[in-house]
Amino acid sequence: MNGQMAQTLSFGLSGVSGFPVQVEVFSAGGMPGMEIIGLPDASVRESKERVNAAIINSGREIPPRRMTINLAPADTRKEGPSFDLPIAVGILAACGQLNLSPSVDLTRTVLFGELGLDGRIQPVNGALSMVISASEQGLRDVILPADNAMEVACIQGMRIYPAKHLSEVIGHLEGAHPLSYQAQQDYSVLLSRPEEGGMDLKDVRGQAGARRALEVAAAGGHNMLMIGAPGSGKTMLARCLPGILPPLTFSESLETTRIHSIAGRLAPGAGLMVQRPFCAPHHSASVASLVGGGASAKPGEVSLAHNGVLFLDEMPEFSRAALEALRQPLEDGVVSISRVRHQAKYQSFFMLVAGMNPCPCGYYGSRQRECRCSPVQIRHYLDQVSGPLLDRIDIQVEVDSVPVSEIRNAPASESSAAVRGRVNKAREIQQKRYRGTRIHCNAQLDNKGIQAYCRMAPEAESMLHLAVDRMRLSMRAYHRVIKVARTIADLNGAETIGLADVAEAIQYRELDAKYWGK
Amino acid sequence: MSTYSRNACLAWLASAGLTPSETEALLRENPDPVSLYREWTGGKRPEAAQGLSGKLQEMLTHNSAAKWMDAWENVMRKCEIQAVTFQDAAYPDRLRPLGDAPAVLFYQGNLSAVSDGLAVSMVGSRSASSRGLEATTKIAKKLSQEGIRIISGLAYGIDAAAHQGCLKGGSPTVAVLGCGLDQDYPAENAGLKREILARGGAVISEYAPGDKPLGWHFPFRNRIISGLGDCIILMEARIRSGSMTTVQHALEQGKDVFVYPGDPESIKCEGNRQLLREGAIYFTTAEDLMEDMRWLDKKNVVGQNSVDSGEEAEASMTPDEKRVWKALEGEDRGFDELCGITGFPAAQLNVTLSMLQIRNLVRALPGKRYQRNQLE
């Protein structure tokens, strides 16, 4: 018997983008067997066992022939089980077991999905990236796992066929039981859904100073450092931050969801992300888990926090190398990871929120308990946080614990929604001001930007100079104060930075002198 | 055999491992340390040296002593370290009555600052409260303005505040170290040490150059701190602390012990409370102390106490500032507390606090607390 060929189309992943993969199946006489070539990794190579069982459990059979499966381009590594479905369909086609309906063109239909032994189709990582790439290639038809369908529902101009079982795919391709394609969804529909979970600021009692600092940080996208005794509420405050930030825009959501999809962090059946991500890696985190890496250059926490919040609790406990590695993403908003076999660039524009104790025992300056640390111990502890990193944090605030009796009596606080209203307004002002530039928010202003956009009233300027002198502010702190004052003025709806704006901003900078000053 | 300077020979003698009284006895017999060195390393070993350990004996032979001597010559010249012995006329008279007075004393700076006029020893904890530090500086400054010198130990915390206060008041101050004078210890007070020397003060130690700051040096050194003062002030101390050993030395030396009350709640002041209960002298201002020491006539004291510059500052305040200023009367308060008392929202309170801080009227404490500044 002569050889038979079949070809199906799938997508592989490289960094955040997908690339087309031709799955060629050649069936020939000879010793029965199956070989997958084209730089497959272990999970792709194991695919043949899954495919075998899945085909049998879908009511078809594999004739005893020699099967060669090539994943082209042959010089790029292929990873993950998403090629199961195109391989299975290719084999059926090559063995003449598939009576293709005339309306189906296998070379123009994107297939991906992992197969279970029973023929069920499981969700895969990176579906969003693959579909975006397919759309860029001008492809329209995609058959994918039903659990990935919501994720790609907002991509316009595509015909997405969600499938749950291999037999459904076969039925569709043969025209016997065509699958119905999913209705396209508009992002605004997602936005209008009630938000779920997360912390609300109305549950935070007391902490007037820290709440205000959080509002200013959110309004200007400023990085923030909270210092306070254990149990003073640093983590709780940080968790409230995503709730007062403006929701993700469509393009931001695509960027962030893509990264989460590739990292396998999306729940099955989840759609595009609407709320900003909040990542809180433990302080034992390695450099690779923070900025990304591993053999296949996976995204790290900084990229998962893209367009959202990265919260580092107990910052001095993080390894020095891990903290230093944060500097590039903080500066550029992107991390480049290079491994021998993979290079990837992941966006990582996030708000850094750091929490730390003021000393090893945690009670330096606290009213609740006496600190038992020596001055040298305190200094060593604080010095774990390097100056360059500290310089990238605009807002510093001390959080003092609220006594239980006061928590009980405190009136209910303002809700996150109310604060978000003000934050949104301030952000809109910034968007208007920075239209046509690469700046999104005040935190991104560099020295040139400060010159251009931060006009100060004369009395504000003279007071700032006085403050630099009296409160021992460094030159770097000086610029940070102006940026934060810009945000406070935006919150007040003022174009010129006034005396009060600067005076308040100074309060968010005094820890330099108090803790790190000399 | 090359000859070494008197200073180097005294450094060698101070390192020989003898007790102060043994060294003193040797020097009484032979007041010239250079010839003492020559005889000893030449093989004529004094009786006092019989009981020394092998390592010290080895060091005292000529060959191994020689390499030390060169180092001492160098470092003492470079750091301008001088030495005096008990027999010298320049030796501080206040130390002579001490039973275990150091036989050799090394010093940098102006040795007459150690003996001239009135002096008060000030001691306290390295990790002191901000209130304690502030009071220390204030009292030291006032005493210094009256021409009274401050003796302390150049440690962090109270010691450093005492030296700084004294410098602000214009009188020279003396630091007694627990290590060789060439050692920068504690490293962070190196600048303060330079300043002490530049302003006519002295830094002294009974340890030879090169001696490390070992833990047991300090309690022993404390007898010199208490010995050099006409009286001693304890600012803040835990019960088991070096400051309490200094007080113990002072009591043995028959000095008056003045104890600052400190925060009655704080564990940092538990030593203060114990001493006050045992009958130490209670005081809160420099005037109290000078009155008790009969260094001041009464009329003067009364005049000093009635000064209140707070009103003057208050007159220039905006209504917002006045409200916060009032809320801070008498005690420090947290940010939330101030919000509650003044009724200001956080933003407004931030603004007001900044203004007060810039005008040096209020200062921030660790833990987001605020305090009135002591007005000058």
Side-chain angles (χ1 to χ4, degrees):
Chain A
M1 200 198 259
N2 289 330
Q4 274 178 300
M5 266 289 291
Q7 195 182 353
T8 56
L9 178 60
S10 189
F11 272 81
L13 284 174
S14 153
V16 278
S17 42
F19 61 92
V21 174
Q22 322 291 339
V23 179
E24 300 166 337
V25 182
F26 180 62
S27 148
M31 277 292 266
M34 198 189 289
E35 184 75 35
I36 300 179
I37 57 174
L39 294 185
D41 81 339
S43 59
V44 180
R45 226 173 289 125
E46 283 170 354
S47 171
K48 56 188 174 196
E49 307 301 335
R50 289 192 293 271
V51 167
N52 223 329
I55 287 178
I56 292 166
N57 283 324
S58 305
R60 306 285 163 127
E61 58 185 56
I62 301 183
R65 291 171 65 86
R66 174 160 188 80
M67 231 81 72
T68 306
I69 296 146
N70 180 35
L71 306 177
D75 61 347
T76 316
R77 287 200 165 260
K78 321 292 181 314
E79 279 177 0
S82 67
F83 298 106
D84 289 1
L85 183 62
I87 290 174
V89 171
I91 288 172
L92 288 173
C95 299
Q97 302 234 355
L98 205 59
N99 299 317
L100 274 184
S101 133
S103 63
V104 173
D105 178 1
L106 268 188
T107 58
R108 305 277 305 162
T109 304
V110 179
L111 296 163
F112 58 84
E114 173 184 338
L115 288 177
L117 295 183
D118 55 359
R120 258 189 302 175
I121 303 177
Q122 313 281 7
V124 297
N125 296 341
L128 182 59
S129 288
M130 295 194 232
V131 172
I132 290 175
S133 303
S135 131
E136 284 164 2
Q137 303 262 334
L139 297 161
R140 220 157 68 99
D141 294 336
V142 181
I143 301 177
L144 48 54
D147 279 341
N148 287 126
M150 280 311 293
E151 188 179 326
V152 302
C154 289
I155 313 282
Q156 303 299 309
M158 301 297 285
R159 271 206 304 232
I160 307 289
Y161 299 95
K164 289 202 171 88
H165 197 279
L166 179 56
S167 57
E168 287 177 29
V169 179
I170 296 170
H172 175 75
L173 294 174
E174 290 187 332
H177 306 283
L179 290 164
S180 50
Y181 60 84
Q182 162 171 280
Q184 281 174 4
Q185 207 175 26
D186 204 49
Y187 184 65
S188 57
V189 179
L190 288 179
L191 276 181
S192 58
R193 277 194 206 151
E195 56 216 82
E196 78 275 354
M199 292 279 252
D200 197 295
L201 267 179
K202 70 170 185 274
D203 302 323
V204 179
R205 297 291 156 94
Q207 304 290 17
R211 293 164 59 95
R212 171 68 181 173
L214 210 59
E215 178 178 335
V216 176
H222 301 286
N223 297 326
M224 179 167 161
L225 170 68
M226 290 187 279
I227 297 190
S232 52
K234 302 183 289 282
T235 308
M236 188 171 180
L237 283 160
R239 285 196 181 277
C240 289
L241 189 52
I244 61 172
L245 286 167
L248 289 166
T249 65
F250 180 55
S251 62
E252 283 176 336
S253 173
L254 279 185
E255 290 166 6
T256 307
T257 312
R258 259 171 117 152
I259 296 170
H260 279 248
S261 169
I262 285 160
R265 294 288 186 93
L266 283 184
L272 282 183
M273 298 170 67
V274 179
Q275 247 211 0
R276 295 185 180 263
F278 180 86
C279 296
H282 187 251
H283 58 68
S284 60
S286 65
V287 177
S289 77
L290 266 186
V291 298
S296 51
K298 284 271 185 253
E301 296 284 343
V302 294
S303 303
L304 291 169
H306 178 53
N307 290 323
V309 178
L310 180 70
F311 177 51
L312 303 183
D313 202 3
E314 311 292 355
M315 184 159 69
E317 307 285 345
F318 280 82
S319 78
R320 188 91 191 201
L323 289 179
E324 295 304 300
L326 289 178
R327 281 162 58 178
Q328 190 210 358
L330 274 175
E331 200 66 15
D332 309 334
V334 70
V335 271
S336 337
I337 304 161
S338 281
R339 293 293 183 266
V340 177
R341 291 190 174 129
H342 291 272
Q343 276 86 39
K345 247 187 178 181
Y346 295 110
Q347 285 174 296
S348 51
F349 173 64
F350 56 89
M351 260 179 83
L352 175 69
V353 178
M356 65 184 283
N357 295 335
C359 67
C361 84
Y363 292 98
Y364 178 59
S366 163
R367 264 299 163 105
Q368 266 64 43
R369 229 192 278 179
E370 202 87 44
C371 167
R372 282 162 189 274
C373 306
S374 74
V376 182
Q377 276 177 309
I378 296 176
R379 167 118 315 191
H380 274 287
Y381 186 78
L382 294 172
D383 282 350
Q384 289 294 309
V385 185
S386 74
L389 186 61
L390 223 48
D391 272 340
R392 288 169 173 78
I393 298 179
D394 293 349
I395 294 187
Q396 309 162 334
V397 64
E398 279 176 297
V399 184
D400 200 18
S401 33
V402 184
V404 178
S405 56
E406 282 182 33
I407 291 182
R408 283 207 173 156
N409 300 332
S413 323
E414 205 178 12
S415 72
S416 286
V419 179
R420 189 172 57 221
R422 292 196 294 270
V423 170
N424 278 341
K425 254 192 212 125
R427 285 280 182 129
E428 275 162 25
I429 294 175
Q430 293 167 44
Q431 262 169 21
K432 214 180 276 168
R433 181 184 310 130
Y434 303 131
R435 186 159 297 152
T437 68
R438 298 187 51 193
I439 302 169
H440 296 106
C441 54
N442 292 335
Q444 289 171 309
L445 286 174
D446 52 10
N447 289 356
K448 249 200 215 143
I450 289 175
Q451 294 262 323
Y453 299 110
C454 301
R455 199 151 39 80
M456 280 191 280
E459 70 270 19
E461 198 160 353
S462 59
M463 195 204 53
L464 183 54
H465 289 144
L466 203 62
V468 168
D469 188 42
R470 287 283 168 79
M471 295 170 75
R472 290 178 296 163
L473 295 180
S474 70
M475 217 43 215
R476 294 202 196 91
Y478 173 83
H479 287 122
R480 308 267 140 184
V481 168
I482 298 178
K483 273 159 58 169
V484 174
R486 173 74 272 166
T487 303
I488 296 170
D490 287 343
L491 275 169
N492 296 338
E495 189 47 45
T496 306
I497 301 171
L499 183 69
D501 304 324
V502 173
E504 189 186 348
I506 288 169
Q507 286 296 314
Y508 303 126
R509 208 55 216 183
E510 56 170 15
L511 301 196
D512 269 348
K514 218 188 305 187
Y515 287 100
W516 283 275
K518 239 288 138 157
Chain B
M1 180 196 254
S2 56
T3 34
Y4 293 107
S5 71
R6 178 184 140 90
N7 279 344
C9 292
L10 284 173
W12 166 81
L13 189 61
S15 312
L18 304 175
T19 64
S21 51
E22 284 168 340
T23 313
E24 202 266 317
L26 272 178
L27 282 168
R28 200 165 32 207
E29 254 168 56
N30 183 355
D32 179 16
V34 179
S35 74
L36 193 67
Y37 170 81
R38 199 176 296 137
E39 280 173 23
W40 195 338
T41 53
K44 187 170 166 252
R45 202 158 287 175
E47 226 170 279
Q50 299 306 326
L52 296 179
S53 72
K55 194 174 155 206
L56 281 168
Q57 297 279 10
E58 160 70 17
M59 193 188 126
L60 296 172
T61 62
H62 176 67
N63 283 343
S64 42
K67 51 176 194 253
W68 290 87
M69 296 302 281
D70 290 331
W72 272 318
E73 291 280 12
N74 280 334
V75 72
M76 290 179 82
R77 196 173 316 118
K78 201 180 103 211
C79 301
E80 297 176 3
I81 300 171
Q82 303 289 324
V84 287
T85 72
F86 200 86
Q87 274 68 33
D88 293 334
Y91 189 86
D93 288 331
R94 281 200 181 82
L95 291 180
R96 290 192 194 272
L98 267 55
D100 45 6
V104 182
L105 202 60
F106 299 91
Y107 68 93
Q108 285 171 300
N110 172 19
L111 189 63
S112 65
V114 180
S115 341
D116 292 351
L118 301 173
V120 171
S121 310
M122 256 181 132
V123 297
S125 164
R126 278 172 294 174
S127 54
S129 70
S130 57
R131 227 155 229 282
L133 291 173
E134 195 186 356
T136 306
T137 314
K138 192 178 157 204
I139 292 168
K141 181 179 168 192
K142 180 69 197 157
L143 288 171
S144 170
Q145 280 167 344
E146 299 294 329
I148 300 161
R149 286 162 299 112
I150 303 294
I151 317 287
S152 197
L154 200 70
Y156 297 114
I158 299 287
D159 282 15
H163 288 303
Q164 274 153 357
C166 186
L167 290 174
K168 275 187 197 161
S171 291
T173 176
V174 177
V176 186
L177 304 193
C179 57
L181 295 176
D182 59 322
Q183 309 278 311
D184 261 340
Y185 182 86
E188 297 204 1
N189 286 346
L192 178 59
K193 184 176 162 184
R194 277 194 297 277
E195 176 124 23
I196 290 174
L197 293 175
R199 305 275 287 273
V203 182
I204 67 174
S205 171
E206 63 183 308
Y207 296 101
D211 278 5
K212 298 275 178 270
L214 303 177
W216 58 271
H217 286 177
F218 292 87
F220 195 51
R221 164 282 313 241
N222 287 348
R223 77 191 194 288
I224 304 181
I225 296 185
S226 62
L228 284 177
D230 293 309
C231 62
I232 178 172
I233 294 176
L234 179 92
M235 289 306 297
E236 250 183 34
R238 306 279 301 264
I239 285 176
R240 287 173 51 87
S241 67
S243 306
M244 293 296 272
T245 68
T246 316
V247 169
Q248 217 53 50
H249 286 302
L251 291 172
E252 284 162 17
Q253 293 159 1
K255 311 264 173 175
D256 283 336
V257 177
F258 288 82
V259 174
Y260 188 76
D263 181 353
E265 299 286 321
S266 170
I267 197 170
K268 285 176 177 155
C269 300
E270 57 178 2
N272 302 36
R273 294 195 284 275
Q274 181 179 318
L275 287 171
L276 285 170
R277 280 181 60 81
E278 287 171 0
I281 307 169
Y282 172 100
F283 88 111
T284 53
T285 64
E287 289 81 5
D288 288 355
L289 180 137
M290 291 192 290
E291 188 186 344
D292 286 351
M293 292 300 286
R294 295 173 199 287
W295 288 343
L296 196 71
D297 51 5
K298 265 199 157 166
K299 198 181 71 197
N300 209 351
V301 176
V302 176
Q304 298 270 340
N305 273 346
S306 62
V307 172
D308 183 11
S309 41
E311 283 168 21
E312 193 185 318
E314 219 176 306
S316 64
M317 286 180 197
T318 65
D320 276 9
E321 288 167 3
K322 252 182 215 159
R323 217 143 132 195
V324 174
W325 177 254
K326 283 244 165 65
L328 288 171
E329 188 165 8
E331 59 179 317
D332 55 283
R333 295 196 185 274
F335 190 89
D336 278 7
E337 240 178 309
L338 284 173
C339 273
I341 296 172
T342 58
F344 291 170
Q348 191 183 356
L349 183 58
N350 272 327
V351 172
T352 316
L353 283 169
S354 279
M355 301 308 272
L356 285 169
Q357 274 174 277
I358 286 166
R359 291 168 57 197
N360 255 340
L361 294 170
V362 165
R363 64 201 190 120
L365 306 176
K368 209 162 178 62
R369 303 191 71 79
Y370 297 84
Q371 185 184 41
R372 277 191 184 186
N373 250 343
Q374 294 292 336
L375 295 164
E376 306 277 321

